[in-house]
Amino acid sequence: MACYPPDREATVISALTLAVIGVGLLAGVLGAILGLGGGVVVVPALEFVLPRFGQAITIQQAVAISQIGVLAVGLSGAAAYLQRGLVRARTGYLLSPYTILGGAVGSFLGLVLPARAVATVFALLLLYSAYNLLRGLKRVEVEREPSRLVPPAMTFAGVMSGLLGIGGGTVQVPVLNLMAGVPIREAIATSTFIMGLTAVGNALVYQAGGLLDLRLAAGVALGVLIGARAGAGLQSRIPANRLKLVFSLLLIFTALQLLWKYWGNG
């Protein structure tokens, strides 16, 4: 962090804390309304916001901080879904070892891969998320036998969760719904349940690697928890199609900015 006089430094730290909580709020609200993992918002937002306050941050550090936000969403969301009886707990417990293993692998890759590689994969994820929002995912509402490809697909979801700091729902929900035959509402609830279990392991790997700033992570988690509650209340009041269009354009813009930052200068 840049050096300031004591009074100025206290002001900057306070503003930085509010900004970090604001990032979490935005992630929580949009995540609740659109069903996206908070990491899709948290990682690029931290990379954009923190340098404005003299706080240098790498994309790997942003991913590490995002894991705590994902953990907060997973715990609070899973508790609500369990009360409503939507979580397939047995399915969650059977599939979570695959996502936890994948998450550990992805987190390790996040520690050793160059920032350019992580940013490129993240930009591709943003573009994929924007495409799904604009197109709308095909949904299965009739129970059927799960595919044999579910375990490797969930492992891949765990890898993406650990590497990119996302909840994994971008991959897990379609896998549970389309490949495991779980109805969409229960697929979302079960994915949220698995998400919390996976994020614990991911956060521990990044903490061991010295990339997790617990102070910033706590601010993001607080904002996410408040934002998710607010977003749930706003969900029925905002035209979903208009919001999806605007947010999709924002995701595309953010992806292009990441690619330019890490590739534009050669």
Side-chain angles (χ1 to χ4, degrees):
M1 182 177 285
C3 293
Y4 299 100
D7 292 344
R8 171 67 173 159
E9 184 176 356
T11 302
V12 170
I13 291 174
S14 298
L16 174 61
T17 301
L18 290 175
V20 170
I21 294 174
V23 168
L25 278 170
L26 179 64
V29 169
L30 291 175
I33 293 173
L34 300 174
L36 287 174
V40 174
V41 177
V42 169
V43 175
L46 287 177
E47 272 217 298
F48 176 78
V49 170
L50 294 192
R52 271 69 183 170
F53 294 89
Q55 175 82 48
I57 188 170
T58 66
I59 192 167
Q60 290 96 335
Q61 289 172 320
V63 167
I65 292 168
S66 180
Q67 299 291 350
I68 302 300
V70 170
L71 175 59
V73 171
L75 292 177
S76 62
Y81 285 130
L82 282 167
Q83 285 183 343
R84 294 163 59 187
L86 291 175
V87 175
R88 296 280 186 94
R90 182 173 182 275
T91 300
Y93 285 126
L94 288 175
L95 294 180
S96 59
Y98 297 104
T99 63
I100 292 171
L101 174 62
V105 172
S107 299
F108 177 76
L109 291 175
L111 296 177
V112 300
L113 285 179
R116 177 183 281 190
V118 178
T120 301
V121 176
F122 197 91
L124 294 175
L125 173 78
L126 294 179
L127 294 174
Y128 173 72
S129 298
Y131 169 74
N132 277 332
L133 280 174
L134 291 172
R135 175 178 173 268
L137 288 174
K138 179 183 176 184
R139 295 179 173 183
V140 173
E141 295 296 350
V142 179
E143 289 277 345
R144 57 185 173 81
E145 286 297 312
S147 165
R148 294 180 180 178
L149 296 177
V150 170
M154 293 298 284
T155 304
F156 174 74
V159 172
M160 291 297 98
S161 173
L163 178 61
L164 302 178
I166 61 174
T170 307
V171 180
Q172 286 175 185
V173 173
V175 168
L176 289 169
N177 185 227
L178 301 177
M179 299 176 67
V182 178
I184 188 65
R185 292 184 185 277
E186 295 180 21
I188 292 171
T190 305
S191 173
T192 304
F193 176 75
I194 294 172
M195 178 193 309
L197 299 175
T198 308
V200 173
N202 296 348
L204 289 174
V205 173
Y206 279 103
Q207 172 69 10
L211 289 179
L212 180 58
D213 186 321
L214 291 175
R215 178 176 57 89
L216 296 178
V220 169
L222 175 62
V224 165
L225 288 172
I226 298 171
R229 183 177 293 272
L234 290 171
Q235 190 176 38
S236 60
R237 303 180 187 179
I238 301 176
N241 290 337
R242 184 180 304 172
L243 190 61
K244 285 182 179 181
L245 174 61
V246 173
F247 191 62
S248 296
L249 295 176
L250 177 62
L251 290 178
I252 293 170
F253 175 73
T254 304
L256 294 177
Q257 271 199 322
L258 273 176
L259 292 174
W260 175 255
K261 177 179 178 179
Y262 287 94
W263 290 94
N265 296 322

PDB file of all heavy atoms in Angstrom, residues 67 95-110 151-164 172 198 201-202 205-206:
ATOM      1  N   GLN A  67     -12.689 -16.741  -2.621  1.00  0.00           N
ATOM      2  CA  GLN A  67     -13.055 -18.034  -2.029  1.00  0.00           C
ATOM      3  C   GLN A  67     -13.841 -17.851  -0.731  1.00  0.00           C
ATOM      4  O   GLN A  67     -14.756 -18.626  -0.429  1.00  0.00           O
ATOM      5  CB  GLN A  67     -11.807 -18.874  -1.754  1.00  0.00           C
ATOM      6  CG  GLN A  67     -10.967 -19.223  -2.972  1.00  0.00           C
ATOM      7  CD  GLN A  67     -11.655 -20.193  -3.920  1.00  0.00           C
ATOM      8  OE1 GLN A  67     -12.701 -20.759  -3.600  1.00  0.00           O
ATOM      9  NE2 GLN A  67     -11.068 -20.378  -5.090  1.00  0.00           N
ATOM     10  N   LEU A  95     -21.180 -36.311  -4.295  1.00  0.00           N
ATOM     11  CA  LEU A  95     -20.459 -35.604  -5.350  1.00  0.00           C
ATOM     12  C   LEU A  95     -19.429 -34.606  -4.814  1.00  0.00           C
ATOM     13  O   LEU A  95     -18.505 -34.235  -5.538  1.00  0.00           O
ATOM     14  CB  LEU A  95     -21.447 -34.874  -6.264  1.00  0.00           C
ATOM     15  CG  LEU A  95     -22.385 -35.760  -7.081  1.00  0.00           C
ATOM     16  CD1 LEU A  95     -23.318 -34.908  -7.939  1.00  0.00           C
ATOM     17  CD2 LEU A  95     -21.591 -36.719  -7.968  1.00  0.00           C
ATOM     18  N   SER A  96     -19.590 -34.171  -3.559  1.00  0.00           N
ATOM     19  CA  SER A  96     -18.667 -33.160  -3.032  1.00  0.00           C
ATOM     20  C   SER A  96     -17.203 -33.625  -2.987  1.00  0.00           C
ATOM     21  O   SER A  96     -16.308 -32.790  -3.191  1.00  0.00           O
ATOM     22  CB  SER A  96     -19.118 -32.693  -1.642  1.00  0.00           C
ATOM     23  OG  SER A  96     -19.178 -33.761  -0.728  1.00  0.00           O
ATOM     24  N   PRO A  97     -16.892 -34.922  -2.760  1.00  0.00           N
ATOM     25  CA  PRO A  97     -15.469 -35.304  -2.811  1.00  0.00           C
ATOM     26  C   PRO A  97     -14.823 -35.002  -4.167  1.00  0.00           C
ATOM     27  O   PRO A  97     -13.638 -34.641  -4.215  1.00  0.00           O
ATOM     28  CB  PRO A  97     -15.502 -36.814  -2.535  1.00  0.00           C
ATOM     29  CG  PRO A  97     -16.734 -37.014  -1.713  1.00  0.00           C
ATOM     30  CD  PRO A  97     -17.727 -36.040  -2.282  1.00  0.00           C
ATOM     31  N   TYR A  98     -15.604 -35.122  -5.258  1.00  0.00           N
ATOM     32  CA  TYR A  98     -15.049 -34.823  -6.583  1.00  0.00           C
ATOM     33  C   TYR A  98     -14.752 -33.327  -6.718  1.00  0.00           C
ATOM     34  O   TYR A  98     -13.713 -32.935  -7.252  1.00  0.00           O
ATOM     35  CB  TYR A  98     -16.022 -35.258  -7.677  1.00  0.00           C
ATOM     36  CG  TYR A  98     -16.291 -36.746  -7.701  1.00  0.00           C
ATOM     37  CD1 TYR A  98     -17.484 -37.273  -7.219  1.00  0.00           C
ATOM     38  CD2 TYR A  98     -15.345 -37.632  -8.205  1.00  0.00           C
ATOM     39  CE1 TYR A  98     -17.731 -38.631  -7.229  1.00  0.00           C
ATOM     40  CE2 TYR A  98     -15.580 -39.002  -8.223  1.00  0.00           C
ATOM     41  CZ  TYR A  98     -16.786 -39.490  -7.731  1.00  0.00           C
ATOM     42  OH  TYR A  98     -17.020 -40.839  -7.748  1.00  0.00           O
ATOM     43  N   THR A  99     -15.680 -32.487  -6.233  1.00  0.00           N
ATOM     44  CA  THR A  99     -15.458 -31.041  -6.350  1.00  0.00           C
ATOM     45  C   THR A  99     -14.355 -30.572  -5.400  1.00  0.00           C
ATOM     46  O   THR A  99     -13.600 -29.658  -5.722  1.00  0.00           O
ATOM     47  CB  THR A  99     -16.751 -30.257  -6.073  1.00  0.00           C
ATOM     48  OG1 THR A  99     -17.188 -30.474  -4.730  1.00  0.00           O
ATOM     49  CG2 THR A  99     -17.859 -30.663  -7.031  1.00  0.00           C
ATOM     50  N   ILE A 100     -14.269 -31.197  -4.215  1.00  0.00           N
ATOM     51  CA  ILE A 100     -13.210 -30.826  -3.268  1.00  0.00           C
ATOM     52  C   ILE A 100     -11.841 -31.191  -3.840  1.00  0.00           C
ATOM     53  O   ILE A 100     -10.888 -30.398  -3.766  1.00  0.00           O
ATOM     54  CB  ILE A 100     -13.443 -31.506  -1.906  1.00  0.00           C
ATOM     55  CG1 ILE A 100     -14.697 -30.917  -1.233  1.00  0.00           C
ATOM     56  CG2 ILE A 100     -12.228 -31.350  -0.996  1.00  0.00           C
ATOM     57  CD1 ILE A 100     -15.140 -31.660   0.004  1.00  0.00           C
ATOM     58  N   LEU A 101     -11.741 -32.398  -4.421  1.00  0.00           N
ATOM     59  CA  LEU A 101     -10.485 -32.817  -5.057  1.00  0.00           C
ATOM     60  C   LEU A 101     -10.145 -31.882  -6.218  1.00  0.00           C
ATOM     61  O   LEU A 101      -9.004 -31.407  -6.339  1.00  0.00           O
ATOM     62  CB  LEU A 101     -10.604 -34.259  -5.556  1.00  0.00           C
ATOM     63  CG  LEU A 101      -9.419 -34.792  -6.373  1.00  0.00           C
ATOM     64  CD1 LEU A 101      -8.146 -34.790  -5.525  1.00  0.00           C
ATOM     65  CD2 LEU A 101      -9.714 -36.183  -6.920  1.00  0.00           C
ATOM     66  N   GLY A 102     -11.146 -31.608  -7.063  1.00  0.00           N
ATOM     67  CA  GLY A 102     -10.920 -30.695  -8.179  1.00  0.00           C
ATOM     68  C   GLY A 102     -10.551 -29.306  -7.695  1.00  0.00           C
ATOM     69  O   GLY A 102      -9.694 -28.637  -8.282  1.00  0.00           O
ATOM     70  N   GLY A 103     -11.193 -28.863  -6.614  1.00  0.00           N
ATOM     71  CA  GLY A 103     -10.903 -27.545  -6.055  1.00  0.00           C
ATOM     72  C   GLY A 103      -9.467 -27.443  -5.563  1.00  0.00           C
ATOM     73  O   GLY A 103      -8.802 -26.414  -5.758  1.00  0.00           O
ATOM     74  N   ALA A 104      -8.980 -28.510  -4.920  1.00  0.00           N
ATOM     75  CA  ALA A 104      -7.593 -28.514  -4.443  1.00  0.00           C
ATOM     76  C   ALA A 104      -6.623 -28.434  -5.614  1.00  0.00           C
ATOM     77  O   ALA A 104      -5.631 -27.693  -5.572  1.00  0.00           O
ATOM     78  CB  ALA A 104      -7.329 -29.773  -3.614  1.00  0.00           C
ATOM     79  N   VAL A 105      -6.917 -29.189  -6.679  1.00  0.00           N
ATOM     80  CA  VAL A 105      -6.072 -29.142  -7.883  1.00  0.00           C
ATOM     81  C   VAL A 105      -6.105 -27.749  -8.502  1.00  0.00           C
ATOM     82  O   VAL A 105      -5.071 -27.171  -8.858  1.00  0.00           O
ATOM     83  CB  VAL A 105      -6.528 -30.200  -8.906  1.00  0.00           C
ATOM     84  CG1 VAL A 105      -5.783 -30.028 -10.232  1.00  0.00           C
ATOM     85  CG2 VAL A 105      -6.313 -31.606  -8.359  1.00  0.00           C
ATOM     86  N   GLY A 106      -7.319 -27.182  -8.635  1.00  0.00           N
ATOM     87  CA  GLY A 106      -7.461 -25.857  -9.223  1.00  0.00           C
ATOM     88  C   GLY A 106      -6.779 -24.783  -8.393  1.00  0.00           C
ATOM     89  O   GLY A 106      -6.151 -23.867  -8.947  1.00  0.00           O
ATOM     90  N   SER A 107      -6.893 -24.885  -7.066  1.00  0.00           N
ATOM     91  CA  SER A 107      -6.239 -23.909  -6.185  1.00  0.00           C
ATOM     92  C   SER A 107      -4.721 -23.990  -6.311  1.00  0.00           C
ATOM     93  O   SER A 107      -4.026 -22.962  -6.332  1.00  0.00           O
ATOM     94  CB  SER A 107      -6.655 -24.139  -4.731  1.00  0.00           C
ATOM     95  OG  SER A 107      -8.050 -23.974  -4.582  1.00  0.00           O
ATOM     96  N   PHE A 108      -4.205 -25.210  -6.394  1.00  0.00           N
ATOM     97  CA  PHE A 108      -2.760 -25.365  -6.590  1.00  0.00           C
ATOM     98  C   PHE A 108      -2.324 -24.760  -7.923  1.00  0.00           C
ATOM     99  O   PHE A 108      -1.301 -24.073  -7.996  1.00  0.00           O
ATOM    100  CB  PHE A 108      -2.370 -26.848  -6.526  1.00  0.00           C
ATOM    101  CG  PHE A 108      -0.906 -27.095  -6.798  1.00  0.00           C
ATOM    102  CD1 PHE A 108       0.048 -26.812  -5.830  1.00  0.00           C
ATOM    103  CD2 PHE A 108      -0.495 -27.595  -8.017  1.00  0.00           C
ATOM    104  CE1 PHE A 108       1.403 -27.027  -6.084  1.00  0.00           C
ATOM    105  CE2 PHE A 108       0.846 -27.811  -8.284  1.00  0.00           C
ATOM    106  CZ  PHE A 108       1.802 -27.534  -7.310  1.00  0.00           C
ATOM    107  N   LEU A 109      -3.118 -25.004  -8.970  1.00  0.00           N
ATOM    108  CA  LEU A 109      -2.799 -24.396 -10.270  1.00  0.00           C
ATOM    109  C   LEU A 109      -2.815 -22.872 -10.173  1.00  0.00           C
ATOM    110  O   LEU A 109      -2.016 -22.187 -10.811  1.00  0.00           O
ATOM    111  CB  LEU A 109      -3.808 -24.868 -11.330  1.00  0.00           C
ATOM    112  CG  LEU A 109      -3.721 -26.334 -11.743  1.00  0.00           C
ATOM    113  CD1 LEU A 109      -4.854 -26.682 -12.710  1.00  0.00           C
ATOM    114  CD2 LEU A 109      -2.371 -26.627 -12.400  1.00  0.00           C
ATOM    115  N   GLY A 110      -3.766 -22.345  -9.358  1.00  0.00           N
ATOM    116  CA  GLY A 110      -3.835 -20.895  -9.169  1.00  0.00           C
ATOM    117  C   GLY A 110      -2.583 -20.333  -8.519  1.00  0.00           C
ATOM    118  O   GLY A 110      -2.233 -19.170  -8.743  1.00  0.00           O
ATOM    119  N   PRO A 151     -19.388 -37.597 -12.372  1.00  0.00           N
ATOM    120  CA  PRO A 151     -18.202 -37.411 -11.504  1.00  0.00           C
ATOM    121  C   PRO A 151     -17.073 -36.605 -12.150  1.00  0.00           C
ATOM    122  O   PRO A 151     -16.579 -35.652 -11.530  1.00  0.00           O
ATOM    123  CB  PRO A 151     -17.784 -38.848 -11.167  1.00  0.00           C
ATOM    124  CG  PRO A 151     -19.056 -39.627 -11.248  1.00  0.00           C
ATOM    125  CD  PRO A 151     -19.801 -39.024 -12.403  1.00  0.00           C
ATOM    126  N   PRO A 152     -16.635 -36.948 -13.400  1.00  0.00           N
ATOM    127  CA  PRO A 152     -15.573 -36.125 -13.987  1.00  0.00           C
ATOM    128  C   PRO A 152     -16.008 -34.684 -14.246  1.00  0.00           C
ATOM    129  O   PRO A 152     -15.205 -33.750 -14.120  1.00  0.00           O
ATOM    130  CB  PRO A 152     -15.219 -36.845 -15.296  1.00  0.00           C
ATOM    131  CG  PRO A 152     -16.353 -37.756 -15.574  1.00  0.00           C
ATOM    132  CD  PRO A 152     -16.924 -38.116 -14.254  1.00  0.00           C
ATOM    133  N   ALA A 153     -17.285 -34.485 -14.584  1.00  0.00           N
ATOM    134  CA  ALA A 153     -17.778 -33.127 -14.825  1.00  0.00           C
ATOM    135  C   ALA A 153     -17.772 -32.318 -13.531  1.00  0.00           C
ATOM    136  O   ALA A 153     -17.430 -31.124 -13.532  1.00  0.00           O
ATOM    137  CB  ALA A 153     -19.182 -33.172 -15.410  1.00  0.00           C
ATOM    138  N   MET A 154     -18.130 -32.947 -12.416  1.00  0.00           N
ATOM    139  CA  MET A 154     -18.109 -32.247 -11.129  1.00  0.00           C
ATOM    140  C   MET A 154     -16.672 -31.973 -10.681  1.00  0.00           C
ATOM    141  O   MET A 154     -16.390 -30.951 -10.047  1.00  0.00           O
ATOM    142  CB  MET A 154     -18.846 -33.060 -10.072  1.00  0.00           C
ATOM    143  CG  MET A 154     -20.353 -33.177 -10.314  1.00  0.00           C
ATOM    144  SD  MET A 154     -21.217 -31.588 -10.284  1.00  0.00           S
ATOM    145  CE  MET A 154     -21.267 -31.281  -8.519  1.00  0.00           C
ATOM    146  N   THR A 155     -15.752 -32.882 -11.017  1.00  0.00           N
ATOM    147  CA  THR A 155     -14.337 -32.633 -10.722  1.00  0.00           C
ATOM    148  C   THR A 155     -13.852 -31.408 -11.482  1.00  0.00           C
ATOM    149  O   THR A 155     -13.132 -30.556 -10.931  1.00  0.00           O
ATOM    150  CB  THR A 155     -13.481 -33.854 -11.094  1.00  0.00           C
ATOM    151  OG1 THR A 155     -13.971 -35.009 -10.409  1.00  0.00           O
ATOM    152  CG2 THR A 155     -12.018 -33.636 -10.716  1.00  0.00           C
ATOM    153  N   PHE A 156     -14.256 -31.304 -12.745  1.00  0.00           N
ATOM    154  CA  PHE A 156     -13.906 -30.127 -13.556  1.00  0.00           C
ATOM    155  C   PHE A 156     -14.488 -28.861 -12.938  1.00  0.00           C
ATOM    156  O   PHE A 156     -13.819 -27.818 -12.894  1.00  0.00           O
ATOM    157  CB  PHE A 156     -14.429 -30.308 -14.982  1.00  0.00           C
ATOM    158  CG  PHE A 156     -14.243 -29.091 -15.845  1.00  0.00           C
ATOM    159  CD1 PHE A 156     -12.991 -28.740 -16.320  1.00  0.00           C
ATOM    160  CD2 PHE A 156     -15.326 -28.286 -16.168  1.00  0.00           C
ATOM    161  CE1 PHE A 156     -12.822 -27.613 -17.122  1.00  0.00           C
ATOM    162  CE2 PHE A 156     -15.168 -27.158 -16.958  1.00  0.00           C
ATOM    163  CZ  PHE A 156     -13.912 -26.819 -17.434  1.00  0.00           C
ATOM    164  N   ALA A 157     -15.723 -28.939 -12.442  1.00  0.00           N
ATOM    165  CA  ALA A 157     -16.338 -27.790 -11.776  1.00  0.00           C
ATOM    166  C   ALA A 157     -15.509 -27.363 -10.567  1.00  0.00           C
ATOM    167  O   ALA A 157     -15.317 -26.171 -10.314  1.00  0.00           O
ATOM    168  CB  ALA A 157     -17.762 -28.127 -11.341  1.00  0.00           C
ATOM    169  N   GLY A 158     -15.001 -28.348  -9.819  1.00  0.00           N
ATOM    170  CA  GLY A 158     -14.151 -28.048  -8.673  1.00  0.00           C
ATOM    171  C   GLY A 158     -12.851 -27.371  -9.090  1.00  0.00           C
ATOM    172  O   GLY A 158     -12.395 -26.430  -8.444  1.00  0.00           O
ATOM    173  N   VAL A 159     -12.251 -27.839 -10.185  1.00  0.00           N
ATOM    174  CA  VAL A 159     -11.021 -27.224 -10.689  1.00  0.00           C
ATOM    175  C   VAL A 159     -11.261 -25.755 -11.025  1.00  0.00           C
ATOM    176  O   VAL A 159     -10.472 -24.872 -10.667  1.00  0.00           O
ATOM    177  CB  VAL A 159     -10.489 -27.984 -11.927  1.00  0.00           C
ATOM    178  CG1 VAL A 159      -9.327 -27.218 -12.571  1.00  0.00           C
ATOM    179  CG2 VAL A 159     -10.038 -29.388 -11.545  1.00  0.00           C
ATOM    180  N   MET A 160     -12.362 -25.479 -11.724  1.00  0.00           N
ATOM    181  CA  MET A 160     -12.682 -24.097 -12.093  1.00  0.00           C
ATOM    182  C   MET A 160     -12.940 -23.242 -10.847  1.00  0.00           C
ATOM    183  O   MET A 160     -12.567 -22.077 -10.778  1.00  0.00           O
ATOM    184  CB  MET A 160     -13.910 -24.064 -12.998  1.00  0.00           C
ATOM    185  CG  MET A 160     -13.691 -24.643 -14.392  1.00  0.00           C
ATOM    186  SD  MET A 160     -12.464 -23.714 -15.370  1.00  0.00           S
ATOM    187  CE  MET A 160     -10.995 -24.720 -15.119  1.00  0.00           C
ATOM    188  N   SER A 161     -13.575 -23.854  -9.834  1.00  0.00           N
ATOM    189  CA  SER A 161     -13.841 -23.145  -8.584  1.00  0.00           C
ATOM    190  C   SER A 161     -12.541 -22.744  -7.902  1.00  0.00           C
ATOM    191  O   SER A 161     -12.370 -21.610  -7.452  1.00  0.00           O
ATOM    192  CB  SER A 161     -14.686 -24.028  -7.663  1.00  0.00           C
ATOM    193  OG  SER A 161     -14.821 -23.443  -6.389  1.00  0.00           O
ATOM    194  N   GLY A 162     -11.605 -23.682  -7.798  1.00  0.00           N
ATOM    195  CA  GLY A 162     -10.344 -23.397  -7.138  1.00  0.00           C
ATOM    196  C   GLY A 162      -9.466 -22.444  -7.922  1.00  0.00           C
ATOM    197  O   GLY A 162      -8.822 -21.568  -7.351  1.00  0.00           O
ATOM    198  N   LEU A 163      -9.444 -22.582  -9.241  1.00  0.00           N
ATOM    199  CA  LEU A 163      -8.570 -21.768 -10.080  1.00  0.00           C
ATOM    200  C   LEU A 163      -9.062 -20.340 -10.218  1.00  0.00           C
ATOM    201  O   LEU A 163      -8.273 -19.390 -10.231  1.00  0.00           O
ATOM    202  CB  LEU A 163      -8.455 -22.408 -11.470  1.00  0.00           C
ATOM    203  CG  LEU A 163      -7.615 -21.662 -12.516  1.00  0.00           C
ATOM    204  CD1 LEU A 163      -6.170 -21.531 -12.060  1.00  0.00           C
ATOM    205  CD2 LEU A 163      -7.695 -22.357 -13.865  1.00  0.00           C
ATOM    206  N   LEU A 164     -10.407 -20.159 -10.300  1.00  0.00           N
ATOM    207  CA  LEU A 164     -10.956 -18.854 -10.655  1.00  0.00           C
ATOM    208  C   LEU A 164     -11.695 -18.155  -9.514  1.00  0.00           C
ATOM    209  O   LEU A 164     -12.134 -17.022  -9.672  1.00  0.00           O
ATOM    210  CB  LEU A 164     -11.906 -19.009 -11.852  1.00  0.00           C
ATOM    211  CG  LEU A 164     -11.276 -19.629 -13.105  1.00  0.00           C
ATOM    212  CD1 LEU A 164     -12.322 -19.766 -14.203  1.00  0.00           C
ATOM    213  CD2 LEU A 164     -10.101 -18.811 -13.597  1.00  0.00           C
ATOM    214  N   GLN A 172     -21.643 -26.509 -12.193  1.00  0.00           N
ATOM    215  CA  GLN A 172     -22.335 -27.528 -11.410  1.00  0.00           C
ATOM    216  C   GLN A 172     -23.835 -27.602 -11.690  1.00  0.00           C
ATOM    217  O   GLN A 172     -24.396 -28.708 -11.791  1.00  0.00           O
ATOM    218  CB  GLN A 172     -22.122 -27.258  -9.908  1.00  0.00           C
ATOM    219  CG  GLN A 172     -20.740 -27.611  -9.425  1.00  0.00           C
ATOM    220  CD  GLN A 172     -20.499 -27.240  -7.981  1.00  0.00           C
ATOM    221  OE1 GLN A 172     -19.405 -27.369  -7.463  1.00  0.00           O
ATOM    222  NE2 GLN A 172     -21.524 -26.755  -7.314  1.00  0.00           N
ATOM    223  N   THR A 198     -16.714 -27.100  -0.903  1.00  0.00           N
ATOM    224  CA  THR A 198     -15.544 -26.970  -1.776  1.00  0.00           C
ATOM    225  C   THR A 198     -14.717 -25.742  -1.425  1.00  0.00           C
ATOM    226  O   THR A 198     -13.484 -25.783  -1.435  1.00  0.00           O
ATOM    227  CB  THR A 198     -15.998 -26.883  -3.252  1.00  0.00           C
ATOM    228  OG1 THR A 198     -16.873 -27.972  -3.547  1.00  0.00           O
ATOM    229  CG2 THR A 198     -14.807 -26.943  -4.192  1.00  0.00           C
ATOM    230  N   GLY A 201     -11.918 -26.018   1.399  1.00  0.00           N
ATOM    231  CA  GLY A 201     -10.634 -26.571   0.957  1.00  0.00           C
ATOM    232  C   GLY A 201      -9.854 -25.597   0.098  1.00  0.00           C
ATOM    233  O   GLY A 201      -8.628 -25.450   0.243  1.00  0.00           O
ATOM    234  N   ASN A 202     -10.548 -24.909  -0.822  1.00  0.00           N
ATOM    235  CA  ASN A 202      -9.881 -23.945  -1.700  1.00  0.00           C
ATOM    236  C   ASN A 202      -9.217 -22.832  -0.890  1.00  0.00           C
ATOM    237  O   ASN A 202      -8.070 -22.453  -1.146  1.00  0.00           O
ATOM    238  CB  ASN A 202     -10.890 -23.330  -2.676  1.00  0.00           C
ATOM    239  CG  ASN A 202     -11.487 -24.341  -3.633  1.00  0.00           C
ATOM    240  OD1 ASN A 202     -10.995 -25.465  -3.735  1.00  0.00           O
ATOM    241  ND2 ASN A 202     -12.534 -23.960  -4.316  1.00  0.00           N
ATOM    242  N   VAL A 205      -5.997 -23.893   0.833  1.00  0.00           N
ATOM    243  CA  VAL A 205      -4.842 -23.989  -0.068  1.00  0.00           C
ATOM    244  C   VAL A 205      -4.250 -22.609  -0.324  1.00  0.00           C
ATOM    245  O   VAL A 205      -3.027 -22.410  -0.259  1.00  0.00           O
ATOM    246  CB  VAL A 205      -5.237 -24.658  -1.401  1.00  0.00           C
ATOM    247  CG1 VAL A 205      -4.074 -24.608  -2.396  1.00  0.00           C
ATOM    248  CG2 VAL A 205      -5.645 -26.109  -1.171  1.00  0.00           C
ATOM    249  N   TYR A 206      -5.112 -21.620  -0.596  1.00  0.00           N
ATOM    250  CA  TYR A 206      -4.616 -20.267  -0.860  1.00  0.00           C
ATOM    251  C   TYR A 206      -4.008 -19.641   0.398  1.00  0.00           C
ATOM    252  O   TYR A 206      -3.036 -18.884   0.318  1.00  0.00           O
ATOM    253  CB  TYR A 206      -5.744 -19.388  -1.400  1.00  0.00           C
ATOM    254  CG  TYR A 206      -5.990 -19.590  -2.883  1.00  0.00           C
ATOM    255  CD1 TYR A 206      -7.075 -20.332  -3.337  1.00  0.00           C
ATOM    256  CD2 TYR A 206      -5.123 -19.042  -3.824  1.00  0.00           C
ATOM    257  CE1 TYR A 206      -7.289 -20.524  -4.694  1.00  0.00           C
ATOM    258  CE2 TYR A 206      -5.338 -19.224  -5.177  1.00  0.00           C
ATOM    259  CZ  TYR A 206      -6.426 -19.975  -5.611  1.00  0.00           C
ATOM    260  OH  TYR A 206      -6.619 -20.165  -6.954  1.00  0.00           O
TER     261      TYR A 206
END
